[in-house]
Every structure is written in structure tokens, then in C-alpha cells.
């Protein structure tokens, strides 16, 4: 169909263009609010700054389409093909992107607030600076798991996003804001979260094996039973973090701030905590075999029944700490 014919029919009140072929068409700035282009061929079509609010684009072929600056708020993009599409600065607020294929798509600075991205494939997508506040990427019985492997989420805004069970292995999340986000059971193994904001974030049972959290802000984060084996938490802020039964074997916690952190039954064997601040931390029943706590500040910490027989406490400050046998260090 020719562009002029589409626009003429739309202006006359027709909105159903299901299955039409508009591949390569130029619809820059077009007003197509509420249009139905489900299953249409829109590959390489130019929709720059177009108005596609509440449009139906389910199962449409939008491969390599140009959608920079387009408004797709509340659009239906279920199972759409958006591989290598350019969505730089696009508005996708409240859009339904379930099962959409966004492999290698450019979502730089895109607005994805409250978008539904369950089971979407974002492998290799560029989400640098994108806003995903309140977005839904959760897992439901492993049926609707978002794939973000290799995605670039550098400085992305993910505040309050639901990423339960999401695949974020080795994803670039440097400086991202994940405050109050839900990442229960998420796979963040090898992910780069250096400088990320994770205040109050739910990371219960998350896989953070070998993740880089250097300088990250994890104030009051929930990390129950999370796996942080060999993770880099150098200079991380973990004040008030809830970490019972967490695994921190061989983790780097040098200079980390763990003031009032809850670390009961935590496995800190062979972890390095040189110069770490553990004031008033709860380390009841913690396992610290061969851990390095040189020059650490453990004032008023609870070490009741903690395993310290092979721990390096040279230069550690233990004033007021409750020792494994229940006595208080003077």
C-alpha cells in the first residue's frame, strides 16, 4: 500500500490495516494514533517522531524500522519483531511488549515506564539511559522470563521495576538506578553493577556469582540467601542490608560499609574484609573461616557462635563486640 493511500483512508476513519505491506515506507511524523497494523510488514519503515499511541502492532514485522522519537505509549507490540530497530528516545510508556523480539535494538534514552516486557528478548539491546521505572520483566513459572543477556543498561532507570527471575547474566548495569526494584531469583552472575544504586532492592536468592558491585549503594537491600561468591563489593555501601544465609565466599568486601547489616549464618569463608566497617552488624552464627578482617571495625557487632578460629583479626577494632562465647570485648 502506498503511504498516501494509507493516510487518506486513516483520515477518513479507517483504522484496520491488518497485514498490509508498508516495508520501507516513510511515515515520518505521521499521526496514526490507534491504528491497527497487526501482522503488517513494516520492516525498515520510517516512523521517526510518528504518533502511534495505542496502536496495535502485534506480530508486526518492524525489523530495522526507524522509530526514534516515536510515541508508542500504550501500544500493543505483543510478539512483534523489532530486531535491530532504532527506538532512540521513543516513548513506550505502558506499552505491551510481551514476547517481542528486541534483539540488538537501540533503546537509548527510551521511555519504558510501566511497560510489560515479560518474555521479551532484549539480548544485545542498547538500553543506555533508558527509563524502565515500574516495568514488568518478571518470571512466571519460567514461562515469561525476559532475556537481557548482553544488554547495555548503563545508567538505566529501573526504579521499582519487576525483574523477578530475569536473565541479566553479564549485563552492563554500571551506574543504573535499581532502587526498590524486585530481582528475586534473578541471574546477575558476572553482571557489572559498579556504582549502581540498589537502595531497598529485593535480591532474595539472586545469583550474583562474580558480579561487580564495586562502590554500589546497597543501603537496606534485601539479600537473603543470595549467592555473592567471589563478588566484588569493594567500597560498597551495605548499611542496614538484610543478608541472612548469604554466600560471600571469597568475596571482596575491602572497605565496604556494613554498619548494622544482618549477616546471621552468612558464609564469609575466605572473604576479604580489610578495613570494612561492621559496626553493630549481626554476625551471629556466621562462618568466617580464613576470612581477612585486618583493620576492620567491629565495634558493638554480634559475633555470637561465629566461626573465627582461622580468621585474621589483626588490627581489628572489637570494642563492645559480643564474642563467639557470649562475652563482651572491652
Amino acid at each position: 500500500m502506498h503511504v498516501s493511500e494509507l493516510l487518506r483512508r486513516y483520515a477518513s476513519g479507517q483504522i484496520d490495516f491488518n497485514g498490509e505491506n508498508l516495508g520501507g515506507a516513510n511515515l515520518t511524523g505521521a499521526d496514526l494514533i490507534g491504528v491497527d497494523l497487526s501482522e503488517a510488514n513494516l520492516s525498515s519503515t520510517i516512523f521517526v517522531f510518528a504518533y502511534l499511541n495505542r496502536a496495535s502492532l502485534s506480530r508486526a514485522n518492524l525489523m530495522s524500522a526507524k522509530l526514534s522519537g516515536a510515541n508508542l505509549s500504550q501500544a500493543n507490540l505483543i510478539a512483534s519483531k523489532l530486531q535491530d530497530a532504532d527506538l532512540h528516545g521513543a516513548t513506550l510508556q505502558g506499552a505491551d511488549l510481551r514476547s517481542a523480539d528486541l534483539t540488538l535494538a537501540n533503546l537509548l534514552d527510551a521511555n519504558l515506564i510501566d511497560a510489560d516486557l515479560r518474555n521479551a528478548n532484549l539480548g544485545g539491546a542498547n538500553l543506555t539511559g533508558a527509563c524502565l521505572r515500574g516495568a514488568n520483566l518478571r518470571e512466571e513459572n519460567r514461562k515469561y522470563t525476559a532475556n537481557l543477556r548482553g544488554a547495555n543498561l548503563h545508567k538505566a532507570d529501573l526504579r521499582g521495576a519487576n525483574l523477578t527471575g530475569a536473565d541479566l547474566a553479564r549485563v552492563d548495569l554500571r551506574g543504573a538506578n535499581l532502587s526498590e526494584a524486585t530481582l528475586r531469583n534473578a541471574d546477575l552472575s558476572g553482571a557489572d553493577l559498579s556504582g549502581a544504586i540498589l537502595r531497598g532492592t529485593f535480591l532474595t536468592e539472586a545469583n550474583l556469582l562474580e558480579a561487580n558491585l564495586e562502590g554500589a549503594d546497597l543501603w537496606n537491600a534485601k539479600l537473603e540467601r543470595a549467592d555473592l561468591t567471589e563478588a566484588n563489593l569493594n567500597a560498597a555501601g551495605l548499611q542496614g542490608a538484610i543478608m541472612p544465609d548469604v554466600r560471600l565466599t571469597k568475596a571482596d568486601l575491602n572497605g565496604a560499609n556494613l554498619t548494622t547489616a544482618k549477616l546471621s549464618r552468612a558464609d564469609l569463608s575466605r572473604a576479604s574484609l580489610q578495613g570494612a566497617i561492621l559496626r553493630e552488624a549481626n554476625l551471629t552464627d556466621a562462618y568466617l573461616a580464613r576470612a581477612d578482617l585486618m583493620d576492620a571495625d567491629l565495634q558493638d557487632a554480634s559475633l555470637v557462635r561465629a566461626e573465627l578460629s582461622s580468621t585474621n583479626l589483626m588490627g581489628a577494632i572489637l570494642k563492645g563486640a559480643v564474642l563467639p562465647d557470649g562475652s563482651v570485648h572491652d
Side-chain angles (χ1 to χ4, degrees):
M1 177 182 286
H2 196 272
V3 169
S4 58
E5 179 68 9
L6 169 74
L7 296 176
R8 184 187 66 77
R9 290 190 188 180
Y10 178 81
S12 68
Q14 181 181 343
I15 62 169
D16 186 359
F17 299 96
N18 192 297
E20 289 289 347
N21 182 10
L22 288 156
N26 189 342
L27 286 156
T28 299
D31 183 347
L32 293 166
I33 294 172
V35 72
D36 185 354
L37 285 162
S38 302
E39 301 182 5
N41 176 25
L42 302 165
S43 60
S44 299
T45 299
I46 302 171
F47 285 110
V48 176
F49 295 117
Y51 295 90
L52 291 159
N53 318 52
R54 294 195 174 183
S56 181
L57 294 154
S58 61
R59 297 177 297 282
N61 179 3
L62 286 149
M63 293 175 65
S64 300
K66 310 301 180 188
L67 291 144
S68 55
N71 193 322
L72 289 144
S73 58
Q74 298 182 49
N76 177 0
L77 287 147
I78 295 173
S80 57
K81 298 175 182 177
L82 285 151
Q83 299 101 308
D84 205 34
D86 185 2
L87 288 144
H88 180 186
T91 298
L92 290 144
Q93 186 166 346
D96 193 341
L97 286 146
R98 283 175 294 166
S99 300
D101 191 344
L102 289 141
T103 307
L104 300 177
N106 180 16
L107 288 148
L108 179 70
D109 295 326
N111 177 357
L112 286 150
I113 295 173
D114 296 325
D116 193 339
L117 287 151
R118 286 175 292 169
N119 202 40
N121 187 350
L122 287 149
N126 182 6
L127 286 143
T128 302
C131 184
L132 290 113
R133 286 202 310 269
N136 189 357
L137 297 105
R138 73 176 183 269
E139 171 191 75
E140 291 181 345
N141 300 321
R142 300 200 178 275
K143 183 179 180 182
Y144 294 114
T145 309
N147 176 18
L148 287 144
R149 276 187 182 256
N152 186 347
L153 285 153
H154 180 49
K155 292 187 177 180
D157 187 346
L158 287 146
R159 284 177 288 176
N162 191 336
L163 289 145
T164 301
D167 186 349
L168 290 150
R170 304 195 178 282
V171 168
D172 183 353
L173 283 154
R174 289 171 298 153
N177 191 339
L178 288 143
S179 297
E180 305 294 336
T182 300
L183 287 148
R184 288 188 178 94
N185 294 302
D187 184 359
L188 287 148
S189 56
D192 191 346
L193 289 143
S194 53
I197 302 170
L198 294 138
R199 288 194 159 217
T201 303
F202 292 86
L203 287 152
T204 305
E205 297 181 348
N207 178 7
L208 287 148
L209 177 72
E210 298 181 351
N212 182 8
L213 289 144
E214 184 172 8
D217 183 353
L218 289 139
W219 183 81
N220 272 1
K222 284 76 174 174
L223 288 146
E224 299 97 326
R225 300 178 297 284
D227 187 353
L228 286 145
T229 300
E230 296 188 51
N232 179 6
L233 288 148
N234 191 288
L238 287 148
Q239 302 95 314
I242 301 169
M243 306 172 76
D245 302 297
V246 71
R247 180 177 292 180
L248 285 155
T249 308
K250 296 183 180 179
D252 179 355
L253 288 147
N254 294 328
N257 190 340
L258 290 139
T259 302
T260 69
K262 281 63 171 184
L263 286 151
S264 54
R265 300 177 302 282
D267 184 351
L268 286 147
S269 56
R270 298 187 179 86
S272 184
L273 292 126
Q274 291 188 17
I277 303 170
L278 288 144
R279 290 190 180 189
E280 299 181 48
N282 184 354
L283 287 147
T284 302
D285 292 309
Y287 188 62
L288 290 144
R290 299 193 65 188
D292 188 353
L293 284 151
M294 182 184 290
D295 298 324
D297 187 348
L298 288 146
Q299 289 186 69
D300 301 314
S302 174
L303 292 156
V304 176
R305 296 185 301 278
E307 171 54 56
L308 296 171
S309 60
S310 57
T311 304
N312 180 10
L313 289 162
M314 187 179 297
I317 302 169
L318 291 158
K319 184 179 179 180
V322 183
L323 302 178
D325 61 3
S327 62
V328 179
H329 196 283
D330 54 25

